Amino acid sequence: MEATPAANVVTTTVSDHIALVTISNPPVNALSTAVRRGLQRAIEETSADPAVHAVVICGAGSNFIAGADIREFGLPPQAPSLPEVGALIEACPKLVIAAIHGAALGGGLEVALSAHYRLATDTARLGLPEVALGLLPGAGGTQRTPRLIGAQAALDLMLTGRHASAREALRLGLIDHLATSDDIAAEGIAYARSLLSDGSPVRRSSAQTDALADRAAQQAAIDAARADVQKKRGLFSPGKIVDCVQAALDLPFEQGLATERELFTQCLESPQRAGLIHAFLAEREVAKAPETRAARPRPFQHVGVIGGGTMGAGIAVALLDAGLTVTMIERDEAALTLGRSRVAKVYDGLIQKARMTEDGKAAVLSRFHGSTTYDALAHADIVIEAVFEDMAVKKAVFAELDRVCRAGAVLATNTSYLDVNEIAASVSRPGDVVGLHFFSPANIMKLLEIVVPAQVSADVVATGFELARRLKKVPVRAGVCDGFIGNRILAVYRQAADFMMEDGASPYEIDQMARAFGYPMGPYEVSDLAGGDIGWATRKRRAATRDPRARYVPIADRLCERGWFGQKTGRGWYLYANGARTGQPDPEVEAIVAEERAKAGVTPRRFTQDELQRRYLAAMVNEGAKVVAEGIALRPLDVDVAMVHGYGFPRHRGGPMKWADIVGLPTILADIRAFAQEDPLFWAPAPLLVQLVASGQSFDSLNRA
Ligand code: CAA
Ligand code: NAI
């Protein structure tokens, strides 16, 4: 066997007339410039080599190719482009076979579609997930996929970005053959040999016509997809994907490719692409904290949960879903029964939707235990406390944990606002105490703030990160302060919203602004969903320590005093007639708002939606900058991930700090300074923001530091 190094990352070996081209670019064989050059050279060389009759392309490591190199988007393009490489592969006069294992995603699948035949191992995952990055498949994928599997299946893959299994890909016609073993190189070579011996011709995806033959059916699929995309306004690339598939139906291949290129470039230049790729990378970066580098997590399997209320039950479900053993502790049998029923209700809901069987529920619940005595936690590896938000109650619980838990058990609190340093200092083993701040509903929401008190051991923090990984949550490291990262920032932009309301905007206009920005709900709708009493309790707790100079808007208190807590009481900021989930604007609320304005001596003024948005977001960004400067968040990207995964900030905008970079920090600072004319205390510019503007830098520069 003769080895020809085509480039460091792409190697070609020729044996018995078959060239094996192997891509080796860890971790996921992304199509970096070096890989594209290597592939180009390999195809040129094998095309010209009379000894080669067939070419097998495969990936080293655990994937075929995970796609274009995400880190290269936005940088000046380097030749050859991926479409050029695809064209070269397709034009190759020798049979080209893509041998797929692991991930064949985005540009990776497009390379495979440029080949003449495709096989995959049973566990391979194939997909065109570009839509999740604000892009469309830009290397012929929008033209070749419909030609191979028809418009409907192609649109489904491209608009959802989902990964198809090898078996589904075979059924759809995306691949031709299922490998019988995991030795993908050997499987690829054997398949190439069988194609050669059968006299199989070079077969180019661009020339396939069968799947598009029924034009009426294709057009119907495109029209349906377009209607669906138009309903989900806000995202840019889905509509462009539909346009490309229309071009695949209407135009010759080369012209379709030109359309694809033009629309791909538009997507590439859109701020949504920048936002979504930032989110993708940031979601991975947050998992890398100093403690995860410095220490190994402690092993765990048995987790105790104290409290079976809203959070305790949700946390228990999250733990059970990850295969862990759970012991719930409650105050008495009645409360424990309630806690159990909250857990069981989640699984009953799944059974109702036919997503779980009774047997499946029984199997999960066999790992769930309840007790009213702490001794049941003697062997627990981690304990998560989720009792009432009251320091005395929490300390009493931690005293019990200190008494019963084994040495080395991790003791965690789910507190929203209380001082985790104080809780840690109350036990004999403060090094074992950490904050694990889940979000409601805890079995659904992805964010997990890992709150790091002063005395905690690094391996305890690393255990928190490992728990997040096991629970498929997005961990964000947070320092100790009132509200940590997320709730602290939330408190500030909620205040900005209340100020705008008192100054003349209606809560409904503010909610509308937030939805138009891309939030699933506005702040007042969220308050109605969560229950206005929660915020009320926090405001009362803070009343004594509130800066007497700070502006305070009591309108929410007026609603709470009437018992209007939101959906659960039938009215809050909105009216929920007969248990409705969607509220209607309430003229009585508007009257209360007007009355409070008058009491405060405010002459109401009109706000445009743009003005509302600028104030709402400037408040968020300004507090985010303070949180970063104080080291509460490690980097701006941690703020971004927290706000996206815990507070509904639209992911396609990357997060508030990324959004601020895109808008331009000088613009944000100028706004803040203008607002500060009215309220210098609330709108005091964050020193970090001032400093970044002075030095011409962005928040992103701190992410890379
Ligand atoms: N480019 C560059 N780096 C990538 C990458 C890519 N396409 N895909 C993954 N990585 C990196 C990750 O950032 C991560 O890096 P760090 O270790 O430094 O954080 C590392 O590879 C491992 O990734 P994961 O942690 O996600 O590993 P996993 O095993 O959980 O998942 C995966 C592997 C399924 C391939 C997943 O990484 C993934 O979905 N990747 C993105 C795939 C994608 O969107 N491809 C389309 C790209 S766009 C395109 O191809 C456009 C075009 O048509 C021209
Ligand atoms: P909840 O009131 O629904 O539940 C608290 C539960 O703790 C009750 O079932 C109560 O019986 C139990 N409990 C009280 N004292 C106990 C004790 N000494 N021993 C055992 N059990 C005891 O409260 P919720 O909403 O679940 O909140 C719990 C904690 O989680 C609080 O610290 C809260 O700040 C925090 N949190 C709440 C979020 C939310 O959205 N509800 C979000 C994130 C954190």
Side-chain angles (χ1 to χ4, degrees):
M1 196 180 266
E2 147 211 8
T4 322
N8 287 344
V9 290
V10 179
T11 49
T12 307
T13 56
V14 181
S15 172
D16 203 10
H17 304 298
I18 296 179
L20 178 67
V21 175
T22 307
I23 298 158
S24 177
N25 182 27
V28 293
N29 297 334
L31 291 155
S32 62
T33 305
V35 172
R36 297 196 305 277
R37 285 189 183 146
L39 270 175
Q40 179 184 39
R41 191 173 329 160
I43 298 297
E44 281 168 358
E45 284 176 4
T46 50
S47 294
D49 184 348
V52 173
H53 297 171
V55 182
V56 175
I57 303 176
C58 74
S62 37
N63 296 296
F64 177 66
I65 304 170
D69 189 333
I70 288 174
R71 292 165 214 270
E72 285 184 2
F73 289 128
L75 300 177
Q78 303 285 327
S81 70
L82 198 53
E84 282 163 356
V85 175
L88 197 65
I89 293 171
E90 190 168 66
C92 181
K94 316 291 169 69
L95 279 190
V96 185
I97 293 105
I100 299 168
H101 75 305
L105 299 175
L109 183 55
E110 292 178 294
V111 165
L113 297 179
S114 304
H116 306 140
Y117 295 89
R118 286 157 291 281
L119 78 156
T121 60
D122 211 10
T123 51
R125 289 173 293 160
L126 300 89
L128 294 166
E130 287 85 347
V131 70
L133 303 174
L135 291 169
L136 51 83
T142 66
Q143 304 304 299
R144 291 191 177 97
T145 316
R147 283 176 165 80
L148 287 172
I149 64 174
Q152 187 173 8
L155 282 163
D156 170 46
L157 284 181
M158 291 190 273
L159 291 173
T160 62
R162 71 186 176 84
H163 300 175
S165 68
R167 279 168 199 273
E168 184 188 0
L170 183 67
R171 201 172 60 242
L172 290 174
L174 208 53
I175 63 169
D176 308 289
H177 178 71
L178 210 54
T180 47
S181 83
D182 287 339
D183 185 348
I184 191 60
E187 288 281 343
I189 290 168
Y191 184 51
R193 212 172 291 295
S194 78
L195 289 169
L196 284 175
S197 68
D198 292 351
S200 301
V202 161
R203 189 196 58 176
R204 300 191 165 95
S205 306
S206 60
Q208 302 302 306
T209 50
D210 288 1
L212 293 183
D214 183 347
R215 292 186 60 82
Q218 308 311 309
Q219 192 57 56
I222 294 171
D223 292 345
R226 192 179 299 286
D228 211 36
V229 162
Q230 276 163 358
K231 263 188 261 153
K232 296 184 217 127
R233 282 172 306 135
L235 289 180
F236 182 73
S237 76
K240 305 296 164 196
I241 289 173
V242 180
D243 291 345
C244 285
V245 175
Q246 185 74 60
L249 184 64
D250 294 344
L251 302 175
F253 183 73
E254 287 302 328
Q255 284 180 35
L257 274 188
T259 303
E260 178 190 88
R261 187 87 314 234
E262 188 193 321
L263 298 181
F264 179 79
T265 307
Q266 287 180 16
C267 292
L268 197 60
E269 286 164 1
S270 85
Q272 293 193 359
R273 187 273 307 162
L276 285 166
I277 288 184
H278 172 76
F280 177 91
L281 295 173
E283 283 153 12
R284 283 155 180 78
E285 213 51 41
V286 285
K288 299 168 195 162
E291 293 84 356
T292 61
R293 293 199 177 95
R296 295 174 63 79
R298 297 181 184 174
F300 58 86
Q301 173 59 34
H302 180 188
V303 184
V305 177
I306 320 293
T310 309
M311 293 309 288
I315 293 168
V317 170
L319 296 164
L320 291 168
D321 287 349
L324 297 164
T325 302
V326 177
T327 299
M328 176 185 279
I329 306 286
E330 259 292 355
R331 290 181 291 176
D332 49 43
E333 282 301 333
L336 185 57
T337 305
L338 267 176
R340 270 186 208 282
S341 68
R342 286 190 188 103
V343 170
K345 204 172 143 196
V346 173
Y347 295 108
D348 290 337
L350 293 180
I351 292 172
Q352 253 176 17
K353 289 185 209 135
R355 283 166 51 198
M356 185 178 245
T357 60
E358 286 289 351
D359 286 352
K361 174 184 164 191
V364 171
L365 291 185
S366 70
R367 285 183 278 107
F368 180 63
H369 312 281
S371 177
T372 53
T373 62
Y374 281 82
D375 298 326
L377 299 180
H379 301 291
D381 304 308
I382 302 177
V383 180
I384 305 170
E385 164 280 308
V387 302
F388 301 137
E389 186 75 341
D390 179 306
M391 185 55 94
V393 180
K394 303 253 188 219
K395 280 188 182 167
V397 168
F398 271 78
E400 285 297 293
L401 298 180
D402 204 7
R403 183 178 64 79
V404 300
C405 289
R406 66 169 177 79
V410 170
L411 309 182
T413 172
N414 181 49
T415 180
S416 306
Y417 293 97
L418 299 177
D419 183 348
V420 186
N421 282 324
E422 189 178 336
I423 296 174
S426 74
V427 293
S428 68
R429 36 174 138 175
D432 292 336
V433 177
V434 70
L436 291 178
H437 186 214
F438 289 80
F439 289 72
S440 180
N443 55 316
I444 309 269
M445 293 294 285
K446 286 279 167 238
L447 179 61
L448 179 61
E449 278 183 319
I450 308 220
V451 185
V452 179
Q455 297 187 62
V456 66
S457 310
D459 63 347
V460 169
V461 178
T463 310
F465 277 88
E466 177 60 15
L467 181 70
R469 197 186 65 78
R470 291 277 292 276
L471 302 188
K472 298 197 173 75
K473 303 257 180 236
V474 186
V476 172
R477 185 190 188 281
V480 177
C481 69
D482 197 345
F484 316 127
I485 298 177
N487 280 348
R488 171 166 157 181
I489 297 174
L490 167 72
V492 175
Y493 67 83
R494 262 307 306 262
Q495 260 178 294
D498 284 352
F499 295 164
M500 296 188 287
M501 175 167 60
E502 196 177 59
D503 286 341
S506 87
Y508 315 118
E509 286 172 319
I510 295 169
D511 279 349
Q512 192 194 335
M513 169 279 294
R515 283 195 307 271
F517 184 76
Y519 275 91
M521 286 185 201
Y524 299 102
E525 288 166 298
V526 171
S527 164
D528 274 3
L529 182 68
D533 46 331
I534 295 186
W536 194 27
T538 310
R539 289 193 299 278
K540 282 194 265 190
R541 182 170 54 76
R542 286 181 173 160
T545 52
R546 194 178 299 127
D547 185 338
R549 296 168 305 157
R551 179 173 176 188
Y552 183 76
V553 176
I555 303 176
D557 298 343
R558 297 292 99 83
L559 267 51
C560 291
E561 285 155 11
R562 289 170 166 79
W564 298 355
F565 294 149
Q567 288 193 19
K568 63 184 172 189
T569 57
R571 69 192 302 177
W573 296 99
Y574 293 80
L575 274 172
Y576 302 86
N578 309 319
R581 301 281 300 270
T582 318
Q584 298 303 321
D586 183 349
E588 281 190 62
V589 167
E590 289 182 305
I592 294 168
V593 172
E595 201 179 307
E596 291 299 319
R597 279 180 196 139
K599 267 196 231 160
V602 173
T603 312
R605 69 176 183 91
R606 289 211 60 75
F607 286 86
T608 62
Q609 287 274 308
D610 178 61
E611 215 177 335
L612 293 175
Q613 184 192 304
R614 285 163 84 152
R615 285 173 183 258
Y616 196 64
L617 283 141
M620 204 180 298
V621 171
N622 202 37
E623 192 63 16
K626 292 179 189 169
V627 159
V628 171
E630 289 171 29
I632 299 298
L634 282 178
R635 301 146 295 199
L637 68 83
D638 296 83
V639 173
D640 286 336
V641 172
M643 299 324 285
V644 167
H645 289 284
Y647 300 83
F649 190 97
R651 190 168 175 274
H652 66 262
R653 295 188 186 267
M657 312 312 266
K658 181 68 186 178
W659 174 84
D661 276 350
I662 292 174
V663 170
L665 300 191
T667 306
I668 309 271
L669 181 59
D671 272 354
I672 290 173
R673 288 195 163 132
F675 306 149
Q677 308 268 318
E678 304 156 13
D679 184 346
L681 187 64
F682 181 78
W683 288 108
L688 176 63
L689 180 59
V690 175
Q691 188 191 318
L692 288 173
V693 170
S695 58
Q697 284 176 296
S698 62
F699 284 124
D700 207 31
S701 64
L702 305 176
N703 291 329
R704 285 180 259 115

